[in-house]
């Protein structure tokens, strides 16, 4: 829901839930304002995350296009770790099959057939470009994107804190409404 309608609907549901759970039908303006700021901030992080994923994929397509084909989610933690350890196809091809098997297993890629296919594809892959300027720029931008995605992932992982936020924000509204 790129237009944000899902976020607006969820905020509306939380306001209704807050009123029912906390037994307050009074004007909940400050609660709604707090919830709006909280949800808009999270929505902004999600949009920045999406933008950064697109930037990462754009650079990968130019300097290391095989990654986009080998992995369902090029912005995953596993792919980020792989790219930080082996930033180029040449570096990845120098890794032994045993090291690659260990890496994939440590990153919860347990399908033996899938791992075998990936290792075979790595061995057969051909470099996309020999343009040194493009490679250097691409590698720097990919590393920056991986670092930013890690930070944004941490900021987006707000779901466990949402119920606590609702309780605290709604509790403040109720406390301020009491004489």
């Amino acid at each position: 829901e790129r237009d944000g309608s899902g976020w607006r609907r969820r905020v509306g549901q939380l306001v209704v839930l807050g009123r029912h759970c906390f037994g307050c039908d009074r004007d909940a303006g400050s609660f709604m304002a707090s919830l709006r700021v909280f949800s808009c901030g999270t929505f902004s992080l999600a949009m920045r995350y999406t933008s950064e994923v697109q930037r990462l994929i754009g650079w990968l397509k130019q300097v290391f296009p095989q990654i986009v084909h080998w992995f369902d989610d090029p912005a995953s933690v596993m792919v980020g770790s792989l790219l930080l350890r082996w930033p180029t196809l040449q570096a990845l091809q120098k890794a032994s099959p045993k090291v690659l098997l260990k890496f994939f297993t440590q990153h919860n890629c347990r399908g033996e057939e899938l791992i075998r296919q990936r290792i075979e594809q790595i061995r057969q892959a051909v470099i996309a470009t020999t343009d040194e300027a493009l490679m250097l720029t691409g590698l720097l931008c990919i590393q920056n994107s991986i670092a930013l995605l890690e930070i944004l992932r941490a900021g987006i992982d707000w779901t466990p804190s949402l119920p606590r936020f609702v309780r605290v924000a709604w509790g403040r509204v109720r406390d301020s409404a009491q004489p």
Side-chain angles (χ1 to χ4, degrees), residues 21-143:
C21 291
F22 301 105
C24 181
D25 288 327
R26 295 189 180 121
D27 179 26
S30 64
F31 170 73
M32 290 172 58
S34 297
L35 190 57
R36 188 177 303 115
V37 168
F38 184 80
S39 63
C40 287
T42 306
F43 179 72
S44 175
L45 286 175
M47 294 302 288
R48 289 193 64 188
Y49 181 85
T50 302
S51 173
E52 199 57 45
V53 167
Q54 294 304 316
R55 186 172 297 132
L56 172 66
I57 291 171
W59 278 109
L60 285 171
K61 284 180 178 180
Q62 292 183 63
V63 298
F64 205 162
Q66 297 87 346
I67 294 291
V68 178
H69 299 289
W70 293 338
F71 300 98
D72 294 333
D73 181 9
S76 69
V77 174
M78 178 184 65
V79 174
S81 297
L82 183 133
L83 289 168
L84 291 176
R85 185 166 178 181
W86 299 290
T88 63
L89 178 61
Q90 297 93 320
L92 186 59
Q93 287 176 328
K94 288 179 184 176
S96 73
K98 188 176 180 178
V99 170
L100 293 173
L101 175 65
K102 182 179 177 183
F103 174 85
F104 288 128
T105 303
Q106 286 175 339
H107 287 83
N108 296 321
C109 182
R110 306 258 187 244
E112 261 184 58
E113 181 61 24
L114 179 61
I115 293 173
R116 189 191 62 70
Q117 286 175 353
R118 283 183 179 156
I119 291 173
E120 185 62 31
Q121 289 171 340
I122 289 168
R123 296 287 165 241
Q124 295 176 359
V126 178
I127 32 179
T129 182
T130 55
D131 183 340
E132 288 185 37
L134 179 62
M135 285 298 294
L136 180 60
T137 304
L139 294 177
L140 290 173
C141 290
I142 288 168
Q143 289 173 352

